[in-house]
Amino acid sequence: MSRTRARVSAPDQACVAAVDLARAAAEELARPGEPGEHLGYESEGDRIVTHYFACQDRAYRGWRWAVTVTRASRARKVTVSEACLLPGAGALLAPEWLPWSERLRPGDLGVGDLLPTPEDDDRLAPGFTETDDDVEHQAVFEYGLGRARVLSAIGRDRAARRWHSGEHGPHTPIAHAAPAQCSTCGFYWMLSGGLRQMFGVCTNEYAPDDGKVVSADHGCGAHSEAAVQPPPVEQAIPILDDLGYDLMEEEGSVDESASEELGHS
């Protein structure tokens, strides 16, 4: 069984020869002198040919003018079908369009802005039904009672990785220079739920992380048990006086005023 071959029609010679007609159509759309040299043509079908011209505009470097010409069956006159500017190899293109939900970055939300959460957001999971028992309301609030959606395991893990690798985690200069970790600080207030063992809130008003979520292995110089070591006492350099002198009386055991025999005459 042989494969069927697609019939490729030869380029229409009348359309191929209509270079001047195609250039004139490009010049009507572009500014004077922008359509440059003829880069060639391409057959688009029966009696349809597209001519390409270089674009001289510096703002569209790498682009090219494409003008498609055609003629009717049994007609001698060639007409312009369409003309446009198309990107070529190495052309400068705009970045791929993204929806607003994917373009949004942390910190973009301002005063009065509303950020709707998609229904299929994997960071959230369905909550539970509200209870009428006021006594147990506070105890069961953590499990999502009264909220339509609560934090899912995926959302919790993403937040944990983001917080731990951020400026309030252990891999910062202030944490490396700290005397001890936040987990041993009296101002460290642990979170509740599944993040309790990894994160807490700093309550020290003098700390740079006051009111922020910090990791248990974070740290700063405002640790509750930080002790300031007294500066070492420097020994004074002795001063030597080599300009003056003192008269000292010599004391000896021999009385020079007494005379005695020395054993010779």
Side-chain angles (χ1 to χ4, degrees):
M1 185 175 181
S2 60
R3 297 181 179 178
T4 58
R5 296 182 179 179
R7 178 178 174 270
V8 179
S9 59
D12 185 80
Q13 296 303 316
C15 293
V16 171
V19 177
D20 295 337
L21 176 64
R23 180 183 294 276
E27 290 177 349
E28 290 181 1
L29 298 178
R31 290 181 295 183
E34 284 188 3
E37 61 175 330
H38 183 243
L39 301 178
Y41 65 89
E42 183 179 357
S43 178
E44 304 288 352
D46 293 338
R47 298 179 300 278
I48 302 175
V49 173
T50 299
H51 291 273
Y52 297 101
F53 301 91
C55 180
Q56 304 295 332
D57 192 343
R58 291 180 295 177
Y60 289 88
R61 185 173 302 173
W63 290 64
R64 55 184 180 173
W65 288 101
V67 181
T68 302
V69 296
T70 185
R71 69 181 180 89
S73 177
R74 298 181 182 181
R76 296 182 179 180
K77 184 178 180 180
V78 179
T79 59
V80 176
S81 176
E82 60 179 348
C84 61
L85 193 61
L86 297 179
L92 180 62
L93 301 176
E96 184 180 357
W97 182 86
L98 294 175
W100 68 269
S101 58
E102 298 181 18
R103 297 196 305 267
L104 196 64
R105 293 293 179 266
D108 291 346
L109 193 66
V111 177
D113 295 338
L114 297 179
L115 179 61
T117 305
E119 293 292 337
D120 57 349
D121 196 328
D122 55 3
R123 298 173 301 170
L124 299 173
F128 301 92
T129 307
E130 178 67 54
T131 178
D132 295 334
D133 192 350
D134 295 337
V135 179
E136 298 181 356
H137 183 273
Q138 184 64 29
V140 300
F141 177 78
E142 181 180 340
Y143 297 99
L145 298 179
R147 290 180 287 172
R149 289 185 290 179
V150 295
L151 190 66
S152 65
I154 296 178
R156 181 190 60 195
D157 294 341
R158 289 181 182 177
R161 289 195 297 267
R162 186 172 62 252
W163 293 348
H164 195 264
S165 60
E167 59 180 346
H168 306 300
H171 309 296
T172 56
I174 192 172
H176 292 164
Q181 296 182 352
C182 290
S183 59
T184 60
C185 180
F187 297 106
Y188 178 77
W189 188 269
M190 290 186 293
L191 297 181
S192 60
L195 299 175
R196 178 182 180 87
Q197 296 181 355
M198 294 184 60
F199 300 99
V201 178
C202 178
T203 63
N204 188 350
E205 59 181 319
Y206 299 106
D209 301 320
D210 179 40
K212 299 180 176 63
V213 175
V214 295
S215 64
D217 48 0
H218 184 62
C220 71
H223 194 280
S224 61
E225 311 306 322
V228 179
Q229 300 294 334
V233 179
E234 297 181 359
Q235 297 294 334
I237 301 175
I239 301 176
L240 300 178
D241 184 7
D242 54 358
L243 298 178
Y245 61 92
D246 297 331
L247 296 177
M248 304 295 293
E249 294 183 0
E250 298 182 358
E251 296 180 358
S253 59
V254 178
D255 187 3
E256 296 180 356
S257 61
S259 60
E260 61 181 22
E261 297 292 336
L262 299 177
H264 62 276
S265 57

